[in-house]
Amino acid sequence: EVLIYQWKLQSHAVAEANDYKELVKFTDNVRVMSAGRLDIKPYSGGAGALSVGPDIFTAVSEGRIEMGNGWPNWWSGQHPAWAVMNAGPFDFMNLDASMLFFLGAEGTELANELSMPKGVRWLPAWWPGMEFGLLSREPILSLTDLKGKKVRVGPGLPGEVLAAASGAFAIPTVPSEIRPALESGTLDAVEWTTTSGAWDLGLQDVSPHAIVPAIWQPSVVSDFLINDKAYAQLPNDLKVILETAIKAYTLTTTMNNKIKDFEALEKFRQAGVTITTWSKDDLAVWKQASDKVYLKYKADNEFSRKFLEHKQAFKDYFNDYYALFGPYE
C-alpha cells in the first residue's frame, strides 16, 4: 500500500501575486516528482486562508499546517532577532549578497537556531531584492512630508526605522487589506514588496505618486517554514524531492519576478505615476535613524547582536571582493 502524505501550505501572498502562482507550480512539481505521494495544497492570503500574518509561524509550530510561506520580520513576535533576519536599511544592498549569505554561507544555519526550538525548519524561499518604495494618494517628496502620516510597512525593523526617520505611524497591514485601507484614507501611503508586487495589487489605480526606493528593506528575502515533526515523518526520497523543488522555486521565482519588476516599472510610468527618489539629505537621516535602531537591537538581545555582526562581517567580505570585481562602467 502506498502511503500518501497530505500537507497544507499557507502563504502570505494573495492569489494574484506571481510568487503565489509560482508556489502553485511548486506544489504541482512536488506532486509529479513524488508520483502523488506528497500532496501539498497551497492557500493564498485573504479569503479562505487557514492562517494570516504572524499566526502563520504559530500554525506551523503547532502543526495546524505543515508549511508556511512569508517574511522573516513577521515572526518577530516569536523572537526579536527575526526582525533583523531580513535585509534592513543599509544592510545587504544586492540580492546576490543575501543569496550568498543564506544559500552558501551561514545564514540558514543561524535562522534555524531561532526556528528549531519551536519545531520549525527554516529555509529561504525567494528574493524580491530591493522593494519598491511608498505609493501615496498625495505627493510625498521627502521624509518631512511623511511626518504624522499613516504608512503601511512590514512589522519589526522596517517599521521602526521608518517611524524613527520620519515621524510617521508604521502600520503592518496584511496584503488583502492594503488597497481598501489606501482607498478609504485609513492609510496615507503604502509599501508592498517590489515593483511588480505593487502593480499586481493594483495600487497604481489609487496612488498616482511614489517615492523610491524602499530604504527599509533593500534585499528582502521570503521564507519557507516547515513543521519539523511532519518533515521527520517523510521517507528520505520525499525529503530530497521537497528540498529540490524548493531550490527550483527559489531560482525561478527570484529570476522571473525580477524580470517582472523591470516590466512593472515601465507600466507604472505609462500609467502616469510620478516617481521621486530620496534626496542625499534624506538618505543621511535614514542612515542616522537606522544606526540607532540597530544599536538598540544589539543592546536588547544577544542573538540579534550575533546575527547582525555575522551579516556585517559577510557584507564586508562581499564588498572587499566586489571592490575589484564589481561594475567598471
Side-chain angles (χ1 to χ4, degrees):
E1 182 180 353
V2 177
L3 186 59
I4 307 297
Y5 297 86
Q6 294 184 317
W7 283 17
K8 297 180 288 293
L9 192 170
Q10 179 64 59
S11 175
H12 263 178
V14 294
E16 298 79 13
N18 187 59
D19 54 310
Y20 182 75
K21 294 175 183 177
E22 292 288 346
L23 206 60
V24 173
K25 294 178 185 177
F26 154 74
T27 59
D28 288 342
N29 288 341
V30 169
R31 200 171 296 111
V32 170
M33 288 190 290
S34 68
R37 292 164 55 218
L38 180 53
D39 184 9
I40 304 174
K41 183 175 181 180
Y43 293 83
S44 63
L50 303 177
S51 180
V52 297
D55 183 62
I56 292 176
F57 189 103
T58 307
V60 174
S61 177
E62 294 176 351
R64 286 184 273 135
I65 56 177
E66 288 76 20
M67 287 187 72
N69 170 229
W71 314 93
N73 49 298
W74 280 88
W75 325 137
S76 55
Q78 299 288 332
H79 191 289
W82 286 114
V84 299
M85 188 73 62
N86 232 324
F90 306 92
D91 197 332
F92 296 139
M93 301 304 291
N94 302 292
L95 63 84
D96 53 336
S98 184
M99 291 178 79
L100 286 165
F101 179 68
F102 283 105
L103 293 176
E106 59 189 339
T108 296
E109 180 181 344
L110 287 167
N112 276 279
E113 286 186 33
L114 279 181
S115 66
M116 285 298 284
K118 299 284 188 177
V120 175
R121 287 181 171 267
W122 187 94
L123 286 171
W126 68 286
W127 275 266
M130 178 72 75
E131 293 199 340
F132 183 46
L134 294 177
L135 283 152
S136 58
R137 289 175 294 117
E138 300 297 328
I140 294 173
L141 304 177
S142 68
L143 281 171
T144 303
D145 293 337
L146 279 172
K147 187 172 183 180
K149 295 287 197 302
K150 300 182 292 297
V151 179
R152 188 277 165 197
V153 68
L157 185 66
E160 291 176 50
V161 174
L162 175 71
S166 68
F169 297 100
I171 303 172
T173 314
V174 297
S176 59
E177 299 173 0
I178 290 175
R179 177 168 169 157
L182 190 60
E183 287 180 306
S184 68
T186 304
L187 292 172
D188 297 302
V190 160
E191 68 84 26
W192 175 242
T193 68
T194 61
T195 316
S196 60
W199 181 269
D200 289 343
L201 211 56
L203 298 180
Q204 68 281 356
D205 297 335
V206 291
S207 48
H209 304 281
I211 185 164
V212 303
I215 303 296
W216 46 92
Q217 286 196 145
S219 192
V220 63
V221 57
S222 171
D223 58 5
F224 277 122
L225 310 174
I226 304 174
N227 179 273
D228 188 49
K229 288 182 180 178
Y231 177 83
Q233 291 171 1
L234 295 178
N236 286 337
D237 65 327
L238 292 187
K239 290 177 181 177
V240 172
I241 287 171
L242 176 64
E243 291 168 10
T244 301
I246 285 174
K247 289 176 182 177
Y249 172 87
T250 298
L251 179 62
T252 56
T253 307
T254 299
M255 298 301 114
N256 290 344
N257 268 38
K258 191 48 59 184
I259 294 296
K260 287 184 178 295
D261 284 341
F262 297 164
E263 297 168 351
L265 178 58
E266 185 57 30
K267 290 178 182 178
F268 272 108
R269 287 170 171 159
Q270 291 177 356
V273 174
T274 302
I275 300 176
T276 304
T277 57
W278 303 103
S279 68
K280 289 184 178 180
D281 289 342
D282 278 343
L283 288 174
V285 175
W286 275 113
K287 185 68 167 63
Q288 292 170 359
S290 64
D291 285 347
K292 290 180 181 179
V293 174
Y294 282 134
L295 284 173
K296 181 178 181 299
Y297 271 91
K298 288 180 178 179
D300 289 352
N301 183 267
E302 182 178 348
F303 194 89
S304 296
R305 177 185 56 76
K306 173 184 174 180
F307 199 84
L308 284 168
E309 288 176 351
H310 280 256
K311 289 177 81 176
Q312 184 61 54
F314 188 81
K315 181 180 178 180
D316 293 342
Y317 192 48
F318 177 93
N319 287 343
D320 178 63
Y321 181 87
Y322 283 103
L324 295 176
F325 298 101
Y328 53 84
E329 55 192 1

